[in-house]
Amino acid sequence: MYRGREGQWAFFLHRISGVAILAFLLLHVLDISLAMWGPEVFNRLLAFYHQTIFRIGLLLVIAGVLYHALNGLRIILMDFTSWGVRVQRQLWYGVWVLFVVMYLPALFKILPEIFGGK
C-alpha cells in the first residue's frame, strides 16, 4: 500500500520535517540563552542571522513547520475517522494544496529580502 506511493513520501517528509524542527528548536534555545551574556552579544548574534543563508534557512523552517502541521492533521483524520485511510492519498494532495496557499505569503515576504539585500 505504501511502497513508493504518496503514503511513503508523506511518511518520509513528516519524519524529516520533524527532525528539522527539533534541530531548529535546539538552535533557538541555544541562541536565546546567549541573551544572558548581555545585549551586545545577543545583538551581534541577531545581526549575524540577517545573512542570506539564514534567510534561506528561515524559508526552510517555515516550510518544515507548515508541512509537518498540515500532514499531522492528515494523520489525525486517518487515525480517528472511519474514512481517513480510504482517502489518504487525496488528503495528502490536499495537504500540498494548503501548503502552497499558506506558504506563498512567506515567500512574498522573505524572497525580496534575500534578493533585494534588505
Side-chain angles (χ1 to χ4, degrees):
M1 167 175 145
Y2 263 30
R3 293 189 181 159
R5 306 283 318 240
E6 293 85 354
Q8 184 178 17
W9 287 107
F11 175 85
F12 285 140
L13 290 174
H14 197 77
R15 271 40 178 197
I16 290 169
S17 64
V19 170
I21 292 167
L22 177 64
F24 172 76
L25 185 62
L26 293 174
L27 178 66
H28 182 67
V29 168
L30 177 69
D31 62 37
I32 291 297
S33 68
L34 289 177
M36 70 181 169
W37 294 99
E40 289 179 22
V41 172
F42 192 68
N43 287 338
R44 273 191 269 156
L45 180 69
L46 290 180
F48 181 72
Y49 282 152
H50 282 285
Q51 296 179 23
T52 300
I53 190 74
F54 290 104
R55 295 288 182 186
I56 294 169
L58 179 62
L59 282 175
L60 293 174
V61 166
I62 292 170
V65 168
L66 190 57
Y67 175 79
H68 197 81
L70 293 172
N71 194 52
L73 293 174
R74 183 186 76 95
I75 291 170
I76 289 172
L77 287 176
M78 288 172 47
D79 286 346
F80 293 107
T81 64
S82 60
W83 49 267
V85 173
R86 261 186 290 125
V87 295
Q88 64 93 15
R89 186 178 312 154
Q90 291 85 354
L91 287 172
W92 194 63
Y93 288 118
V95 163
W96 281 108
V97 169
L98 288 174
F99 174 86
V100 168
V101 169
M102 296 171 88
Y103 192 60
L104 283 176
L107 286 176
F108 288 131
K109 170 68 177 125
I110 297 173
L111 280 180
E113 294 174 4
I114 292 172
F115 293 113
K118 290 183 180 179

